[in-house]
């Protein structure tokens, strides 16, 4: 009996986790969003010259890729696209590939 209850609870948790975004949307009426932002302890994301180095750990970057694999879209600003040339992918050949969305006031984007 206890094993069945534990298995049921594990399955319930897996279902809630798999449907997190849908449950959030149903409960709030708003889309579920995840913001990824990395900066140094002094609040910087790049040097004064604009050079950006990795400021997050390899574990954090892998977590980002896992979140992307479950996402519908990856959104960046126009300046990020122009300066960093991000891949905006899951780094996988197969499986879910989120839409790539760029927000720009000028639409002065590279090809």
């Amino acid at each position: 009996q206890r094993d069945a209850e534990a298995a049921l609870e594990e399955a319930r948790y897996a279902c809630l986790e798999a449907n997190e975004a849908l449950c959030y949307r149903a409960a709030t009426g708003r889309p579920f969003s995840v913001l990824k932002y990395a900066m140094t302890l002094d609040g910087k994301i790049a040097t004064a010259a604009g050079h950006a180095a990795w400021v997050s750990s390899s574990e954090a970057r892998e977590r980002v890729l896992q979140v992307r694999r479950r996402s519908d879209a990856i959104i960046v600003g126009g300046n990020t696209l122009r300066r960093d040339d991000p891949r905006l992918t899951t780094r996988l050949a197969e499986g879910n590939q989120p839409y790539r969305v760029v927000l720009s006031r000028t639409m002065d984007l590279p090809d």
Side-chain angles (χ1 to χ4, degrees):
Q1 178 69 14
R2 205 169 274 295
D3 287 341
E5 289 176 11
L8 182 61
E9 184 60 25
E10 186 176 318
R12 186 181 79 75
Y13 178 78
C15 288
L16 287 172
E17 186 177 51
N19 291 290
E20 179 180 23
L22 177 64
C23 292
Y24 182 86
R25 176 75 180 225
T28 67
R30 296 188 313 248
F32 181 79
S33 302
V34 176
L35 172 67
K36 184 269 186 193
Y37 190 85
M39 67 180 176
T40 60
L41 290 174
D42 62 354
K44 307 294 184 198
I45 59 172
T47 65
H51 175 72
W54 290 112
V55 296
S56 55
S57 68
S58 60
E59 292 85 5
R61 291 190 300 274
E62 178 56 35
R63 173 78 174 120
V64 167
L65 293 177
Q66 290 173 8
V67 170
R68 284 182 178 185
R69 291 173 192 140
R70 297 189 335 250
S71 299
D72 295 320
I74 300 170
I75 303 172
V76 297
N79 282 337
T80 297
L81 184 73
R82 286 185 286 274
R83 293 177 183 168
D84 298 341
D85 192 23
R87 286 187 269 178
L88 306 179
T89 68
T90 63
R91 312 296 196 272
L92 295 176
E94 297 179 3
N96 181 50
Q97 292 297 326
Y99 289 101
R100 300 174 205 182
V101 179
V102 179
L103 305 177
S104 173
R105 283 184 244 147
T106 64
M107 294 302 291
D108 179 26
L109 304 173
D111 291 332

